[in-house]
Amino acid sequence: MPPPSGSPRPEPQKPILSVAGLSIALRGRGRETSLVQDVSFSLSEGRTLCLVGESGCGKSLTSLAIMGLLASPPLEITRGEILFEGRDLRALSARDRADLRGDRMTMIFQEPMTSLNPAFTIGDQIAEAVMRHKGGTAEEARAKALEMLKRVRIPAAEKRLDEYPHQLSGGMRQRIMIAMALVNGPRLLIADEPTTALDVTIQAQILSLVRRLQQETGSAMLLITHDLGVVAEVADEVAVMYAGRIVERASVKDIFDDPQHPYTIGLMGSLPSLSGREERLATIPGSVPAPERMPKGCRFAPRCPFCIPACTEAQPPLLEVAPGHEAACIRAPLEQHVTEAA
Amino acid sequence: MSAILQAEGLKKYFKTGGGLFSKPTVVRAVDGVSFAVQKGETLAIVGESGCGKSTVGRMLMRLIEPTAGTVTFEGQDLGALGETGLRKLRGAMQMVFQDPFSSLNPRMTVADIVGEPLWLHGEGSARERREKTLELLRTVGLRPDLADRYPHEFSGGQRQRIGIARALASSPKLVIGDEPVSALDVSIQAQVINLLEDLKERFALTLIIIAHDLAVIRHMSDRVIVMYLGSIVEVAPTGPLYSEPLHPYTRALLSAIPLPVPGHHAERKLLEGDIPSPANPPSGCRFHTRCPYAQKRCVDEVPALRDAGAGRMAACHFFEDLPPETAGRALGAADSPAKARRLALYKQFRTLRDTQGPEAVLRASTPTMEAVTRGEQSS
Ligand SMILES: Nc1ncnc2c1ncn2[C@@H]1O[C@H](COP(=O)(O)OP(=O)(O)OP(=O)(O)O)[C@@H](O)[C@H]1O
Ligand SMILES: Nc1ncnc2c1ncn2[C@@H]1O[C@H](COP(=O)(O)OP(=O)(O)OP(=O)(O)O)[C@@H](O)[C@H]1O
Ligand code: SF4
Ligand code: SF4
Ligand SMILES: [Mg+2]
Ligand SMILES: [Mg+2]
């Protein structure tokens, strides 16, 4: 059994990434639809923050905004600050941002072919990433590529250097993409559902690989997933998103052992368990409202079993409910606000 | 219990590619699969991508022709039936698919989609069919006033409900769900799982659930078939399969699942290597390229699916001799008191809001400071 780490971890040093009040909107035909609203978090060296939430809650948009890859127009950052290693990314020129990408900050996606070019060999693609940012000769870059393939445990790495992406299995391509993302030693790695398309035995390999490489390099990781099992496996901290906002943020232990927001609780109750057959799953009724039809107050109110009229008056702010644990619910902690004998 | 459906020696080989100068490759998608489904049970078929689950499902429905083998439904050999016989039988056997987006005709209204099987079977008058359709929508939890909308106007979970309503229209005895909840978000997935369980109870259905999510399977099924590369490697009642998996592949699958319990990963054993291609499966035991217990015999000799007692079967030469899976990690941990308490509150208030409305939720709330002061003023 791993030791339970009940006490809060020592507060880590300076954050590598800090996002404050980030809002993203869709602009078009004289309308502005808010898609991500007031998202804040920070991430330190060697730590992993998981963004979790259901489809469409704004996880990918948040990460694309950090990478400077938002498709704008029509998408646009309307507010907020993104500091990376102390620098305000929004103030940088497009050129400077492009220099950071693939070097100091890198991203891996659910579908490896988003980052791999089918027309070039694996070796050439990784070597190119090295030379673009670090310079050096083609031989040096190729040697670096080979070393990286070995580190991500590609069998027969030497031979793979000269193969094309389509010659590899899905799991293998994912490893190649990870190799490419890590070859320049980034300080921040953003992974958007990196294992969602993979089989469970392959997913386990990739997760353990990512964790090991991260320990070796000390880079920070922002991992996006909707799988609470993956969250428990890799996260240090967790931010739960619902309908474009962060509704709860805490250490991984607190999220699972002390869930505060009714949405987080509902998600936990919706998960079938591997350890036994429970009677019936708790469910969250209804579905997520469309971005252009967001309720005025708490966005979870239409689906929340604890909703009272006050919830629909204003958006509940993300407030600390315990040290290092924040929830955006006017009724947290619940047991203090409801009578259990109801 | 008696068998409602029986599959015997099912095989499906697909020929792909092949031209003037190249030989076609033969993909052995399903390679000799036999099992029986008992009336009233929920049987799960699990395995990784490409192991042949969907192909088995399609052969059971005879949506595709088996290369070899037979399927018997209530004593009738499906292969011996003509088109009309098959069509009749398909009313009694229905399929629900994974992708609620592509499995519904975008140009038909929901009422038409759900009502089509009734119309095909020439049931009742137009008015009676409409009535029955609306009733089916209510049964799966969709508002009947949405009947004349089109599929694109619905969310993923709602579309899956439409697919289920359609499957129920012909009053089936057996429903095969091919990944019926895999494409859905967790909260929506839970709604559909509960719905399927309710319907199974209400209509005394037999269910075959094809899935790769072992937690969903654990929750829903009575018995599980585990497949690897076109063959069955283990069959067992659900409880024992999870607590004491016999086959090395089943063990590996179970230990690969990330558990929603922080700190658990330290204990796991990982499977090395990739899943081989079914076009070129390994000799002998197909799992031998990844099996931690493989020996010489495994390379040469195909292990038979053998009786392991207590309704279990396993296809491994050595399952009796393997170390018991007690060293494996626990498949969960008890909820913390805080979490257990909040989950209980959640369920309680969910029921309260559903049955007595939002006012009851307000009444069950401890007075806020504001209300307390107001109360003092009025007294
Ligand atoms: N280019 C775009 N144009 C218009 N709307 C968009 C665009 N990209 C995203 N959206 C909308 O923004 C919202 C958030 O999208 P995002 O991709 O961030 O979700 P997500 O949390 O990553 O979901 P998933 O789990 O499905 O990947 C969604 O409602 C989506 O429809
Ligand atoms: N029509 C076809 N032609 C050629 N090969 C096919 C065809 N249908 C399936 N296959 C192959 O047969 C094998 C089994 O496919 P099947 O769809 O049954 O797998 P599955 O277990 O359902 O996988 P998944 O979990 O990905 O749905 C795969 O290798 C697949 O590529
Ligand atoms: S603020 Fe109200 S509606 Fe929103 S989550 Fe909390 S109790 Fe539910
Ligand atoms: S037969 Fe051999 S290779 Fe196959 S599962 Fe058993 S021990 Fe492993
Ligand atoms: Mg996304
Ligand atoms: Mg399938």
Side-chain angles (χ1 to χ4, degrees), chain B residues 158-198:
Chain B
Q158 286 176 318
R159 285 187 238 210
Q160 203 53 297
R161 287 173 194 268
I162 296 169
I164 294 170
R166 179 186 158 94
L168 288 176
S170 57
S171 311
K173 294 176 179 161
L174 173 75
V175 173
I176 302 176
D178 189 355
E179 310 267 8
V181 298
S182 306
L184 306 173
D185 274 316
V186 188
S187 76
I188 308 299
Q189 174 178 300
Q191 295 173 3
V192 176
I193 289 175
N194 284 350
L195 172 66
L196 282 170
E197 295 198 314
D198 293 345

Side-chain angles (χ1 to χ4, degrees), chain A residues 73-105:
Chain A
L75 298 169
E76 206 170 310
I77 297 182
T78 51
R79 226 175 62 75
E81 189 178 62
I82 306 169
L83 294 181
F84 176 67
E85 298 185 305
R87 286 204 281 178
D88 180 1
L89 289 187
R90 292 187 64 198
L92 293 186
S93 69
R95 216 205 126 91
D96 287 344
R97 292 203 79 168
D99 282 342
L100 282 178
R101 274 198 298 274
D103 187 29
R104 309 288 297 166
M105 56 200 291

Side-chain angles (χ1 to χ4, degrees), chain B residues 12-14 27-31 50-53 55 227 229-231 278:
Chain B
K12 184 70 195 181
Y13 294 175
F14 292 107
V27 177
R28 300 202 218 162
V30 175
D31 208 5
C51 71
K53 306 180 293 294
T55 306
M227 286 185 70
L229 275 180
S231 322

Side-chain angles (χ1 to χ4, degrees), chain A residues 1-2 54-55 169 172 199-205 208 211 226 228-230 232-233 252-253 256-260 262 265-287 301-309 331 333-342, chain B residues 48-49 155 185-191 193-194 197-198 214-216 218-222 242 249 252-254 256-268 270-275 290 329 331-333 336 338-339 341-343 345-350 352-353 358 361-366:
Chain A
M1 284 291 283
E54 287 175 89
S55 188
S169 69
M172 205 91 92
D199 276 313
V200 59
T201 60
I202 309 297
Q203 162 171 290
Q205 294 169 359
S208 102
R211 215 175 26 237
H226 62 266
L228 288 169
V230 171
E233 185 112 325
V252 66
K253 175 130 181 42
F256 284 93
D257 288 350
D258 186 24
Q260 293 277 356
I265 299 167
L267 270 189
M268 306 265 173
S270 299
L271 269 190
S273 144
L274 266 176
S275 56
R277 186 170 180 167
E278 58 279 84
E279 342 74 85
R280 234 177 123 73
L281 298 173
T283 58
I284 304 175
S287 53
R303 305 175 74 190
C304 181
F306 302 99
C307 176
I308 52 173
R331 314 199 68 198
L334 287 168
E335 55 278 4
Q336 288 177 21
H337 289 88
V338 300
T339 50
E340 301 199 30
Chain B
E48 290 177 287
S49 185
S155 69
D185 274 316
V186 188
S187 76
I188 308 299
Q189 174 178 300
Q191 295 173 3
I193 289 175
N194 284 350
E197 295 198 314
D198 293 345
L214 285 146
V216 169
R218 165 112 221 201
H219 182 82
M220 292 189 74
S221 52
D222 303 310
Y242 285 74
Y249 177 62
L253 261 190
L254 284 171
I257 309 168
L259 296 180
V261 182
H264 254 269
H265 52 74
E267 305 159 37
R268 79 150 56 128
L270 284 188
L271 208 54
E272 300 271 330
D274 259 331
I275 305 165
R290 302 171 84 197
R329 55 184 191 155
L331 290 174
S336 71
K339 178 177 173 185
R341 188 173 183 195
R342 301 225 173 90
L343 272 175
L345 273 179
Y346 183 93
K347 287 187 186 167
Q348 185 192 341
F349 273 76
R350 179 97 168 69
L352 188 67
R353 188 176 168 171
V361 174
L362 188 57
R363 280 196 301 275
S365 300
T366 45

